[in-house]
Each structure stands twice: as C-alpha cells, then as structure tokens.
Amino acid sequence: MILSDSFDALYADGREAAVDPLWVMMKQVVTPRPSPRAVPHLWEYAKLRPMLDRAAALVSAEDAERRVLMLTNPGLKPPCATDTLFAGLQYILPGEIAPAHRHTSFALRMIVEGDAAYTAVNGEKVLMHRGDLILTPSWMWHDHGNETDEPMVWLDGLPLPVLQAVPVNFAQPYGESRYPALPAAADSNLIYPWPEMRARLDAACAPYVRIGYVQRIDSAPISKIIGAAAERLSPGSEVKLARETASTVYHVVEGSGCSVVDGKELVWRRGDTFAVPAWVDVAHRADAGEAAYLFRFDDRPMLDALGLYRQDTTSGA
Ligand code: 1HN
C-alpha cells in the first residue's frame, strides 16, 4: 500500500500505465453544448483563383493525382473545412487527365468555372457545366479530363475528417489513367444540372427556398454521410436559420450578399465558399437587385442515421 499518495504521483504512475484521470477533463470531454473547433470562415474566389494558376504552373494534374487547393478552416488543420467536411477547389487544364482511382469515401463536385470538361464515374462519362452537381459514390472508379479549350474549376466535397477519425478511408489507383467509359445518359443518376435546380427554385414563390438534392432514380439520399441542397434568396431578402448539429459548407452559385455566422459577417459573391460550424446562428441576406443562389453540403444524413441530429427550434425562422 502507498502510504502518502498525491494527485501528481497518481497521474505520473497513471501515465506510465497508459491511463489518465477523467475528472480533470470531464468538462472538455462533455461540454454543455456542441463545441465545434471550426470557425465561421469565407474563402474568396477572387483570392484563390490566381493560386490555382500558380499551382498549375508548378504541378500537372497527372503528377498531383488531384490538383486541389484544400479549403482549410482556420480553427482546424487540413483536410478540414468544418469538423466533419472536406472542401477543396480542383483545377484541370485543357488536355489534362486526373488519373482513375477509387476510394471508400463518397465525393460530390459543384462546378465553379468552365464548360464541358468531364468526370468519368464507373464507366459513365459525365460532361460538367457551371452549377452542376456531380456525384461520385463510394468505391466507383473515377477520372477527370478536359477535352475543351478552357480550364475547369470545381468544388470537391467529401466527409474526409469523419473517415479519418473512424478510420475507414482507403484508395486504389486504376492500372491506366482512364477507366473505360461511354457518354452518360441524359437521366444519369450521377449529374444534377444547374438549370433544372434553378428552375425549381425559381418556381417556388417564396423569398427564401431550400431544395435538397436526392437521387434521380429513387429519390434516395445522395449519400449516407453527406447531404446537399440549393437555396434561393429573392433580391434583398433575409433568412435566419435554426441552429443545428450538422455543419455546412456553402458555395455562392449566383448573386451576392452576406451571411452572419456566429456573429461574424461574411460578405460573399459568386464563386465564394464559406464554412458554417455546427450549432451556430446563421442568417443570410441577398443584396438588392438580383436573387442569390447558394449551394450547400452538410453532414446531416450521417447525424440523422446515428440519432445525433438536433435543431435548436428556439432559434431561426
Ligand atoms: C479525390 O479523390 C478527389 O477524385 C478530389 O477528384 C478530392 C480529396 C481528398 C482525397 C481524395 C477526386 C479529394 C480526393
């Protein structure tokens, strides 16, 4: 028996035995409210766009495998745009190929700039246009290529931070740069063209409307982890959203305005991307003059499946 014990002695012996006292960190382990490490943050496209060209001068899409500038949340480390979501801007020049591979992670892409470069997913060659949403389901071979004469930029969204924590993500290269593919059918389940979604948003006669993306074939969620939606704000309109345990990455497809996220004002325009951490107050306002269209992806399907999704119904509209 130890005659004169002390906290320090116990903690030191504990460390050697690979144990630690919970009571000194109980409040950090279970906080009174969700405590994301992500902070509200805006990435301005005008600042990032020249860096994509600089990256392209330094590394080819082939050598990079994926030439992506990660949007790293200032409260976190790469590859985190929020606590659970990865976001990155991918760049592909005319004539380039980002070689075929597959991984366990689901990925989505929102096209930011360019016209008709392709992603081939599991044998379907999908041509991409501004504002289109493209899905890459888990474990499907995919390569990207640009047979046009202008560069293409898109926003990649993956649940990488979750898959690192679990950890279940792994990837395989395909033996050749391209996986054999034929042109995708017009009603492919992998592409959700912007004009269709925009028309649906415009048809809803409300100052603020949000429409979720679901799979074309059976209206199933686009993935079990990540959800996506598009929002429209009429010119000059405002909306206050309920706090939720999901975190979100927003991308400005058209228009300009500002969002107040956890008290921080983010002034955005077309091409910008911003992070909304879990459980913060969010309000959007579109500038007068033209409607604003926002694309968003979040981790709500995963939280729903785990029984962890909550909204603060006392906040928001
Ligand atoms: C990936 O495979 C792609 O296939 C994009 O285009 C972004 C970020 C992290 C890990 C894999 C792609 C990625 C990625």
Side-chain angles (χ1 to χ4, degrees), residues 37-79:
R37 283 179 298 144
V39 297
H41 188 75
L42 174 80
W43 291 270
E44 286 175 61
Y45 190 55
K47 282 198 185 144
L48 304 187
R49 183 66 182 82
M51 289 188 217
L52 292 174
D53 275 322
R54 288 169 61 190
L58 293 167
V59 64
S60 69
E62 185 91 34
D63 286 346
E65 187 169 344
R66 295 295 183 264
R67 189 169 50 220
V68 174
L69 288 181
M70 295 188 279
L71 307 188
T72 306
N73 191 287
L76 294 159
K77 294 191 166 73

Side-chain angles (χ1 to χ4, degrees), residues 81-82 85 87 155 247-251 273-276 295-297:
T82 74
L85 301 171
L155 180 72
S247 65
T248 307
V249 171
Y250 270 97
H251 177 77
T273 303
F274 58 97
V276 175
F295 167 75
R296 54 170 273 160
F297 63 94

Side-chain angles (χ1 to χ4, degrees), residues 66 68 86 90 101 103 109 142 144 154 156 158 160:
R66 295 295 183 264
V68 174
F86 166 94
Q90 185 160 168
H101 69 189
H103 34 73
R109 317 184 196 286
H142 55 285
H144 316 300
W154 65 80
D156 287 311
L158 295 87
L160 287 181

